[in-house]
Amino acid sequence: MIGEFLVEMRNISKSFFGIKVNNKINFTLRKGEIQALLGENGAGKTTLMNMLTGVYFPDEGDTFFKGKKMVLNFPGDALSMGIGMVHQRFSLVGNLTVFENLILGHPKNKFIINVAVEKILIQKYMKQFDFHINLDAIVDELPIGIRQKVEILKMLVREVDVLIVDEPTTVLTKQEADNLMQILRNIANSGKGIIFITHKMSEVFQVANSITVLRKGEKIATVNKEETTPNELARMMVGKEHNTTFNLPKTKKIPEILKIENLFVNSNNGVLAVKNLSFNVAGGEILSIAGVTGNGQIELADALTGNRKVGSGNIKFKNRDITQHSPKKRIDEGISYIPGDRINVGVAGNRSVWENLIMKVYRLPKFKKGLLLNNVKLKKYAEKIIQKYDIMMPGINLPALLLSGGNLQKLIIGREIERDCDLYICVYPTRGLDVGATEFVRNSILNLRNKGKAIILISGDFDEIFGLSDRIAVMCEGKFTGLFNNGDYSLEQIGLMMSGQEIENLEN
Ligand SMILES: Nc1ncnc2c1ncn2[C@@H]1O[C@H](COP(=O)(O)OP(=O)(O)OP(=O)(O)O)[C@@H](O)[C@H]1O
Ligand SMILES: [Mg+2]
């Protein structure tokens, strides 16, 4: 049942460096309501929510919470009033347990904590909303889907009335996402209000009651789910409709750009993560690696890029053994990496947007002026990528960390694709991107293939895998349970391989 107003934001505006990223926005949320907040990368979704939670102050406009004007003086004020947000970038402390994270910073726990009582209380919430989490587990050792739930549970324990979740499903598998949405439904049914930011239209229709669409800092509309369609929402977001079909033209394969022989790689905690893998990737082909997250894909990618030591085995790139080469050497040799972890691996967050864009090419002779760097030329190079990849932000001197989630991803993709490499290792390249940007990035990857580049695509998105791959490998517990041409096996069969069934044991 949808009840009275919890939140009313009236006429809210915000500018950064003279650029309006929220312009006179009106936004309301009621009890029991799940409202989706939709919009392209950089539309202003996270910024609007950051004002509701007191991270930023609006330049104009007022916010009312349960009918009263909100006055926020300190970070944390919104949370103690009952508005909590789970951010695009998680905020848990990795080396503490779930329980410690849940009670950490809880205003109620300033003095003495009665562990037994607190645990009983937390169990109560878990039962009410159908969470299954081991409170004594170390957060770093948990799969990302569970960590996400811990973040949400943390807000529930603080008894928020309004829960904001900013793209919570980007890092989840389909099952995990479905489960999370069921939990969001339970939470809303208990009378709380939820603001759900997502780029996935199917999720909007699965779980939301109403939808607000932002475009370039303007509110376009708020509509009830029953009264709209995915096409209409897409039109509102971008001003036009998108159609995503790809064709893979035949390419001339350049044999063995990458050759892996009997590769063994350990994970962080010393367990074998990659177990005796051997495979090749040719120029002009995309080899996708599908699998449930945490089955060795990231360790494999890290080993190929030199960011993780190889236990034993060989990596040959263009017929040269590069197993012992440093990450820097591999970059110069022509291996490109689009990592899954944008913030920690993808960029130097405190450095400017333009410095991040040139950081892998500035040593090239064409960017030198005598012994010095040709900054004019470098900035031009950066600006060209910004335009081509439509990276939206207030200025090229902005620290990369302040880009919107999707624009940060575009920065990395643009930087990597514009370098002329022979091998591209792309890990979840379209995570967090809006529909238009996703299509653009997928086409860019296809173009690389058509130009004869070798591509490894680690992805969890089957539209992407089936749409782009020449061959598909399925990884489970550090091994390939299947390696075959795209089209040879169905999604269902791939699902079985993902859960450990070897390809030979499948009936085709
Ligand atoms: N602290 C800041 N300083 C300067 N600019 C900022 C800051 N925070 C956000 N911006 C800019 O405001 C704009 C809107 O960003 P916001 O994060 O709200 O977008 P978003 O709709 O959440 O996009 P995404 O889907 O990519 O996460 C972007 O251009 C971003 O670079
Ligand atoms: Mg955002």
Side-chain angles (χ1 to χ4, degrees), residues 41 88 167 169-171 198-200 244 246 338-340 342 405-410 412-413 417 425-446 457-465 468:
N41 295 132
Q88 253 167 313
E167 298 190 34
T169 60
T170 330
V171 291
T198 181
H199 289 292
K200 294 180 191 145
T244 26
F246 299 102
I338 297 170
R342 288 166 210 164
N407 280 299
L408 189 64
Q409 179 71 351
K410 289 192 210 170
I412 296 169
I413 302 258
I417 290 185
I425 298 160
C426 311
V427 183
Y428 309 117
T430 55
R431 240 185 204 175
L433 294 184
D434 63 48
V435 188
T438 298
E439 191 181 314
F440 180 79
V441 166
R442 288 181 183 163
N443 271 319
S444 306
I445 293 174
L446 262 186
L457 173 66
I458 296 178
S459 175
D461 182 324
F462 279 97
D463 289 339
E464 187 160 285
I465 291 172
L468 299 186

Side-chain angles (χ1 to χ4, degrees), residues 386-447:
I386 290 169
Q387 273 198 351
K388 184 164 170 192
Y389 291 81
D390 196 23
I391 305 172
M392 292 205 299
M393 35 97 216
I396 64 168
N397 295 317
L398 189 78
L401 208 57
L402 295 180
L403 290 183
S404 84
N407 280 299
L408 189 64
Q409 179 71 351
K410 289 192 210 170
L411 180 155
I412 296 169
I413 302 258
R415 177 185 72 204
E416 294 303 321
I417 290 185
E418 291 304 308
R419 284 172 60 215
D420 196 21
C421 292
D422 292 309
L423 170 66
Y424 289 82
I425 298 160
C426 311
V427 183
Y428 309 117
T430 55
R431 240 185 204 175
L433 294 184
D434 63 48
V435 188
T438 298
E439 191 181 314
F440 180 79
V441 166
R442 288 181 183 163
N443 271 319
S444 306
I445 293 174
L446 262 186
N447 283 339

